[in-house]
Structure formats: C-alpha cells, structure tokens
Amino acid sequence: MARISRYLVPALLLICGAALTAQDEWKSLEDAKKVAATSDKPVFLVSVLDTPELADPVFKKLRSRARADEDFKVFVGARVNVFKLDPNAAQYGGTSHGTDPVLVEKYGDMSTVSVYAPGANTALWRLKAGAHKEDIFKQAREAYEKWRKEIDELEQQMKDDKELKKDPEALWKLGEAWARGGSAKRALDNLDDALKIVRKADKADRRIEKWMLRCAEVALSCEEYADAAKRFTAFLKEFRASERRNEALLGKTEAQIGANDMKGARKTLEDIKPDAPPEILDRAKKLHEKATKAAAE
C-alpha cells in the first residue's frame, strides 16, 4: 500500500496540476472565439503589454483574481498582446515598451477589457483600463447578461409559440438583437429568414429594399467583409434606382477595403456621381485616399 501511495500521490498531483493549468489558460482571441461559438459562452478579452523585458504585471494580477471570481466562470478568457518592438528605442536609451497602433485601434490600449458575444468579430462591450478594476468581471458579466436577456426572451417566445418562427417581424427583431452583439451568423440567419418570408409573400413589399440593404450593413459592421461586399453588390443590382444607392456604394467600398480589395474599392467609387450630396462626396474622397494608401503599403 505504501508503495502504491508513493507512486499514486505524485501522479494525482500531476493530474491536478494539469487541470489547474488548463482552467487558467488564456487563449488567443481566435481560439477563444472558436470555443465561444461551440459553447455559447462570451469571450473576456484583455489587452496586455508583454515585452522582452517584462511580463505584464497587470495581467498577472488579473489572472490571479480570475481564479477565485465566480463571475469570470461565464467567460472564455483571452488575451491579445499589443506590444510592438521599437527598433530605435535602444539608441535613445529607452526601452522597447511600445504599442502597435493597429492592434490598439482594434482592441484598445494595454489593460483595456472587452467582451465578445458568441460568434462575434466585434466587441459587445469595452472598458479602457478595465483590468485595473477590482469588480471588472462583475461589470463585464452584467454588460453581457443585459444584452443577452433580450435574445433569450425572444428565443423563448419562439419556442412557446411556433408561429413566431414564421413571423418576419419577430425574426427581424431577433436578428437585430444578435447584430447589436456583433454575432454575424446568428444575426444574418434570422434577418435572411425574415427577408425570404417577406419576399415570398409579396415581391413588391417595400421592406425588401430596406431589409436587403440592412443585411449588407450588418455583415459590414460585424466585419464579414467578403459577405458584405456580395450583399451590397446584390442590392445595387436589384435596386438600381434606389435613393440609397450612394450609401450602398460607400458600404460596398468599405467592405472591399476590409477584404483587402483596393482595386475593386476604387472602381466602385467611380459609380458615385459628381453631383452627389457633399457628405457623400466627402466620404467617398476619404475612402479613396484610404484605399490608395493601403494599396501602396
């Protein structure tokens, strides 16, 4: 028995240690999003500044608090390193504690905390310097649950009343709720279903034009750029004389830039007439400059 215990105890310690390590794992955002999509859990993302000289002390403290905080258990933990080495720092006697402006613009500066809904590419909620807040997990959870409450109620109504799944307005409302959380697939699944029902009932229904453009805008806002470009193209083809044609052209341009199609973006802008309203021409000019700059880089 003593011999068994001598070998069993270290083995148990090893197993328990591995379990704790797995529980304490903070994934990359992409990996966390995959887990979130399958588990229907939100992602808790923190922007850190891990440098060659020093691991981020704020993240170390945050990770330690997370182990004991019940509110954190609803999330999939993720981190993004916004550090960028400054090759000129040493010659000026400084350190390499710089940040990447592209990452900072997308995820926030160091210690920023964001919450992503399941399946989302964009943040539902964000708090600058949130990692310093003692109650950050409680704040993040409350923000997520406030948004999720409406969705859960709408989906429960559809379970209780099967006819609501055939009601385009009910489906549209649910889709818009998912869109506010940045969850493109869940949003567009419902929005597209609503649009199909309306189109099948009456091809002249005025909602078709409005909803078709809105679906493209949702795809764009959720950073599903390739899908958004296709949707704007379909709208422009079907509604050539639409009063919102310029909006669609600008939306398509943004989607093409997001999809790294700079040539296509500049070509799309050519369809905006010189006599378009000043605000449209101003936005077109800025997008053309953005596409031109990106193409040159």
Side-chain angles (χ1 to χ4, degrees):
M1 185 69 179
R3 289 185 64 188
I4 294 175
S5 298
R6 189 168 61 191
Y7 292 107
L8 183 60
V9 171
L12 288 172
L13 288 173
L14 185 62
I15 293 171
C16 291
L20 286 172
T21 301
Q23 186 180 20
D24 191 38
E25 180 185 3
W26 289 65
K27 306 177 185 298
S28 69
L29 179 56
E30 289 307 311
D31 286 344
K33 282 161 58 177
K34 291 176 184 176
V35 175
T38 56
S39 64
D40 198 35
K41 294 178 69 174
V43 174
F44 180 99
L45 177 74
V46 58
S47 297
V48 301
L49 188 67
D50 278 349
T51 75
E53 296 91 356
L54 179 69
D56 193 329
V58 177
F59 175 64
K60 184 177 181 181
K61 183 179 179 181
L62 183 73
R63 185 174 58 185
S64 178
R65 293 208 321 264
R67 294 191 194 107
D69 198 312
E70 288 295 314
D71 288 314
F72 182 70
K73 292 182 180 179
V74 305
F75 296 104
V76 179
R79 50 176 279 180
V80 58
N81 188 7
V82 296
F83 165 75
K84 183 178 181 180
L85 181 66
D86 181 357
N88 300 316
Q91 70 186 57
Y92 297 115
T95 65
S96 59
H97 296 189
T99 54
D100 187 323
V102 175
L103 293 177
V104 168
E105 182 180 359
K106 189 170 179 62
Y107 303 114
D109 208 343
M110 57 184 290
S111 300
T112 294
V113 165
S114 306
V115 172
Y116 287 75
N121 291 326
T122 54
L124 163 69
W125 179 83
R126 179 163 287 167
L127 183 62
K128 185 177 181 180
H132 295 280
K133 308 291 184 183
E134 289 297 325
D135 65 341
I136 187 57
F137 303 124
K138 180 175 181 290
Q139 287 191 49
R141 180 173 183 169
E142 287 177 348
Y144 174 73
E145 291 181 343
K146 181 181 179 181
W147 165 78
R148 187 64 190 249
K149 181 181 178 182
E150 180 186 8
I151 288 173
D152 289 342
E153 289 176 351
L154 290 170
E155 291 186 338
Q156 186 59 52
Q157 290 171 14
M158 288 187 174
K159 287 181 180 179
D160 296 339
D161 183 356
K162 304 298 183 183
E163 291 301 310
L164 286 177
K165 291 184 178 181
K166 303 174 185 178
D167 181 348
E169 293 293 342
L171 287 167
W172 191 263
K173 188 175 181 179
L174 178 58
E176 285 284 15
W178 276 111
R180 285 192 287 276
S183 296
K185 186 179 187 307
R186 299 195 191 191
L188 290 167
D189 280 350
N190 287 285
L191 298 180
D192 284 339
D193 284 347
L195 184 56
K196 287 175 185 176
I197 293 171
V198 168
R199 192 185 287 274
K200 185 176 181 180
D202 181 3
K203 292 182 180 180
D205 194 310
R206 292 183 178 182
R207 287 176 293 182
I208 296 173
E209 178 181 349
K210 179 181 177 181
W211 284 8
M212 197 172 175
L213 181 58
R214 178 58 185 153
C215 286
E217 292 171 342
V218 167
L220 176 61
S221 68
C222 293
E223 298 183 357
E224 295 292 343
Y225 297 120
D227 183 35
K230 291 178 181 178
R231 289 175 181 272
F232 281 118
T233 299
F235 173 86
L236 289 163
K237 184 177 180 180
E238 185 168 346
F239 298 98
R240 298 179 186 276
S242 173
E243 292 181 355
R244 302 185 66 186
R245 183 172 178 78
N246 284 328
E247 293 177 47
L249 287 168
L250 292 174
K252 180 180 177 180
T253 302
E254 288 187 54
Q256 289 171 313
I257 291 174
N260 203 32
D261 179 12
M262 305 309 162
K263 183 178 179 181
R266 286 180 288 184
K267 184 172 179 58
T268 296
L269 289 172
E270 293 175 2
D271 289 335
I272 293 182
K273 303 292 190 295
D275 60 349
E279 61 273 17
I280 295 293
L281 294 175
D282 184 58
R283 286 175 59 193
K285 180 181 177 182
K286 290 178 180 177
L287 287 172
H288 190 277
E289 290 172 351
K290 185 177 181 179
T292 301
K293 182 180 178 182
E297 291 177 349

